[in-house]
Amino acid sequence: MTPARAPETVRAKPDAVCVAAVEPARDAAIAEAGAARVGEHLGQLVEGERLVTHYFASTHPGYQGWRWAVTVTRASRAKTVTVNEVVMLPGDTAIVAPEWVPWSERVQPGDLRPGDLFPTHADDPRLEPGFTDTADAPEDVRAVVDELGLGRERVLSPFGREDAADRWYAGDFGPASPIAQAVPYKCHSCGYWIRLADSLGQAFGVCANEMAPGEARVVAYDYGCGAHSDATIENPDLPIPEHAFDTTGYDTLQLTEQPALPTEA
């Protein structure tokens, strides 16, 4: 059974015959779900002219907080009502499924596992057609195309570059991160910082220090950490303590001659 959404309340004069038709509405709900799954009458709602919905509690263990909605109506000058529809609707305390979200919006960074595929849309604004027609180009031209990465079917668009730059700059390895704020050293002056080759290299590079938190990650040029190549410590000459015992001199000792030991016969 597909749950239906309750209609919005309208201003209409309550019809006395429809309002009083509690038992016909209950019988309709019982015919739909069975007497064991229809509970007490919870009230009614005037939907329109000679149109009233009666609500009954659902006693089904799997639908706690739901209610049966039976809409009745009558023709003008008619003395009896007609059942219009019988549906189950969620109440204020009902457990309902979350709003459906397309899979492309449900997948988050880090969700992909080995063997998973995440196809891109043909109209992805982050991409634009690349230069791929190199079949008849000279070998030296194809070598340059491959070196510059122009042989791909699609490449980053200006929007894609700006989107990535904004995300990286505002992320954990941007200048606003707590670790970057705690040190005076910046990545652009670090010997471990490898600048990106394309236009993004004006603001980003890759950290090559295995002791740094940003190692093997894209870090902003004004990010910084305590593992900067200039963060050296000069060890001062430590004072040599005096020997507890003098091991460099010697004392003259007078040895006395020991008596010879008797020999056995």
Side-chain angles (χ1 to χ4, degrees), residues 106-122:
R106 294 197 303 267
V107 178
Q108 299 297 319
D111 288 348
L112 263 64
R113 296 294 182 265
D116 293 343
L117 295 177
F118 186 74
T120 58
H121 294 285

Side-chain angles (χ1 to χ4, degrees), residues 91-135:
D92 295 336
T93 61
I95 299 177
V96 296
E99 184 178 356
W100 184 82
V101 179
W103 70 266
S104 58
E105 299 179 14
R106 294 197 303 267
V107 178
Q108 299 297 319
D111 288 348
L112 263 64
R113 296 294 182 265
D116 293 343
L117 295 177
F118 186 74
T120 58
H121 294 285
D123 56 350
D124 191 332
R126 299 171 299 173
L127 298 171
E128 64 182 7
F131 180 74
T132 58
D133 188 11
T134 59

Side-chain angles (χ1 to χ4, degrees), residues 51 135 180 192 230:
L51 187 66
Y192 298 110
D230 294 342

Side-chain angles (χ1 to χ4, degrees), residues 54-80:
H54 290 272
Y55 293 102
F56 301 90
S58 171
T59 57
H60 193 290
Y63 288 89
Q64 295 183 6
W66 288 64
R67 53 189 179 173
W68 289 101
V70 182
T71 303
V72 296
T73 185
R74 71 179 182 90
S76 177
R77 299 181 181 178
K79 301 299 182 180
T80 59

Side-chain angles (χ1 to χ4, degrees), residues 11-257:
R11 292 183 178 274
K13 182 179 179 180
D15 183 77
V17 177
C18 292
V19 171
V22 175
E23 291 307 317
R26 180 187 296 276
D27 293 340
I30 292 175
E32 179 71 24
R37 296 183 178 180
V38 179
E40 61 179 336
H41 183 247
L42 301 177
Q44 64 275 336
L45 175 66
V46 177
E47 307 281 6
E49 188 71 22
R50 296 187 300 277
L51 187 66
V52 175
T53 297
H54 290 272
Y55 293 102
F56 301 90
S58 171
T59 57
H60 193 290
Y63 288 89
Q64 295 183 6
W66 288 64
R67 53 189 179 173
W68 289 101
V70 182
T71 303
V72 296
T73 185
R74 71 179 182 90
S76 177
R77 299 181 181 178
K79 301 299 182 180
T80 59
V81 299
T82 301
V83 176
N84 190 14
E85 63 177 356
V86 180
V87 295
M88 182 183 285
L89 298 176
D92 295 336
T93 61
I95 299 177
V96 296
E99 184 178 356
W100 184 82
V101 179
W103 70 266
S104 58
E105 299 179 14
R106 294 197 303 267
V107 178
Q108 299 297 319
D111 288 348
L112 263 64
R113 296 294 182 265
D116 293 343
L117 295 177
F118 186 74
T120 58
H121 294 285
D123 56 350
D124 191 332
R126 299 171 299 173
L127 298 171
E128 64 182 7
F131 180 74
T132 58
D133 188 11
T134 59
D136 299 330
E139 184 177 352
D140 56 345
V141 173
R142 291 199 300 269
V144 173
V145 168
D146 293 340
E147 182 179 353
L148 297 179
L150 299 177
R152 294 167 289 173
E153 183 176 352
R154 290 192 290 179
V155 296
L156 272 178
S157 64
F159 171 80
R161 292 178 179 273
E162 293 179 3
D163 181 63
D166 292 341
R167 187 172 62 253
W168 294 345
Y169 204 74
D172 294 337
F173 300 99
S177 62
I179 191 171
Q181 294 289 324
V183 295
Y185 307 105
K186 301 303 177 184
C187 287
H188 60 79
S189 61
C190 180
Y192 298 110
W193 191 65
I194 304 174
R195 186 184 297 272
L196 296 183
D198 62 2
S199 60
L200 288 173
Q202 299 177 8
F204 300 99
V206 178
C207 178
N209 185 358
E210 63 179 346
M211 303 305 296
E215 200 270 335
R217 297 178 180 271
V218 176
V219 294
Y221 77 102
D222 49 354
Y223 172 75
C225 70
H228 194 280
S229 60
D230 294 342
T232 59
I233 299 177
E234 296 182 0
N235 294 325
D237 294 335
L238 298 177
I240 301 176
E242 296 182 357
H243 293 288
F245 299 95
D246 185 5
T247 59
T248 59
Y250 61 92
D251 296 330
T252 302
L253 300 177
Q254 184 68 36
L255 299 178
T256 59
E257 185 176 354

